[in-house]
Each structure stands twice: as structure tokens, then as C-alpha cells.
Amino acid sequence: PPVNDLNPKVNNYVYCKVLENGTGTVKPLFTDTVATNYRGKLIPLYNGSEVIFDQAYQGELNPEIAVPVEFAVNGVIEGWTTALQQMVEGDRWEMYIPYNMAYGQLGNSNIPGYSTLIFDVHLVKVITNR
């Protein structure tokens, strides 16, 4: 998104890198449910090692054997909700979610406060309530 040089609010956006374009045509609404394969990690440590805090699959993503997890679009952190509503079935995005659109100053469980989160998300199915 464009950033105003006089007032950059970079923490108000989810930054996404498109890894694969899907063939779906429907974007999920706030009230829909989705099925996704995902992996969440923190920004790599100073020594380059990754800290994975949550994942729906092990190893490399293989959509043929991975079992997607279903959840309500409005039942996840703000960064996920924001990004999911821009995706279509089959999309796979790497999302960079600032702390204020994730778990904020306090963090959550094994996620420290003020953490920017990185998610690899594959939207498998949109389950609409329309």
C-alpha cells in the first residue's frame, strides 16, 4: 500500500507476498469460514534460526496430504482476517503481520509481545454463509 511520507503508519497494514495464485473466484467475507494450510513463525533470530509457533502441517507443504484447518474468518487475529478477505481459493501467500494486528504488546503463550508474525497461508476452501 502507499505510505504517506509525512505520516507513515506501516503498522496498519498486512504486507503479503504472493507465492501462488489460486483459481478461485470468491473472496471470503468476515462472516464466512475458511479451510487453510498454514505455518506461523517469528522473524528469524540473529543467528538465522526460525521459531515456528504454530502450523497445520509438518515439513514442506504438500496439498495432496495436508489436512486443512477450518475456522471463522472473524475468529482469528486482525491481520489474518484482513488478508483472508483479499484471497481466493488456491492462493498461497506469505503474510507479514505487525504486532498491533496480531497479539499486541502482551503477546500470547509462546509469542512475545511486540512480535511481527510471518505466516505462510494456503487458502484451500471458502465455506460461505451466503
Side-chain angles (χ1 to χ4, degrees), residues 42-77:
L42 301 176
I43 292 174
L45 300 175
Y46 65 91
N47 64 3
S49 63
E50 289 187 342
V51 176
I52 296 172
F53 59 82
D54 193 14
Q55 58 189 354
Y57 58 91
Q58 298 292 321
E60 292 299 314
L61 174 60
N62 181 345
E64 300 296 321
I65 61 172
V67 178
V69 177
E70 292 184 10
F71 53 84
V73 173
N74 63 7
V76 293
I77 60 174

Side-chain angles (χ1 to χ4, degrees), residues 19-37:
L19 303 176
E20 295 175 22
N21 286 309
T23 58
T25 57
V26 176
K27 294 180 180 180
L29 299 176
F30 186 76
T31 54
D32 288 338
T33 298
V34 292
T36 67
N37 293 311

Side-chain angles (χ1 to χ4, degrees), residues 55-123:
Q55 58 189 354
Y57 58 91
Q58 298 292 321
E60 292 299 314
L61 174 60
N62 181 345
E64 300 296 321
I65 61 172
V67 178
V69 177
E70 292 184 10
F71 53 84
V73 173
N74 63 7
V76 293
I77 60 174
E78 180 184 0
W80 263 65
T81 300
T82 300
L84 282 170
Q85 292 178 89
Q86 302 305 312
M87 297 176 77
V88 296
E89 287 182 3
D91 277 351
R92 183 174 177 194
W93 291 5
E94 187 171 70
M95 303 174 189
Y96 298 83
I97 302 175
Y99 79 93
N100 61 313
M101 295 181 79
Y103 295 106
Q105 299 172 11
L106 301 177
N108 181 27
S109 184
N110 57 347
I111 301 171
Y114 296 101
S115 291
T116 295
L117 306 180
I118 303 170
F119 282 95
D120 179 341
V121 178
H122 177 226
L123 179 57

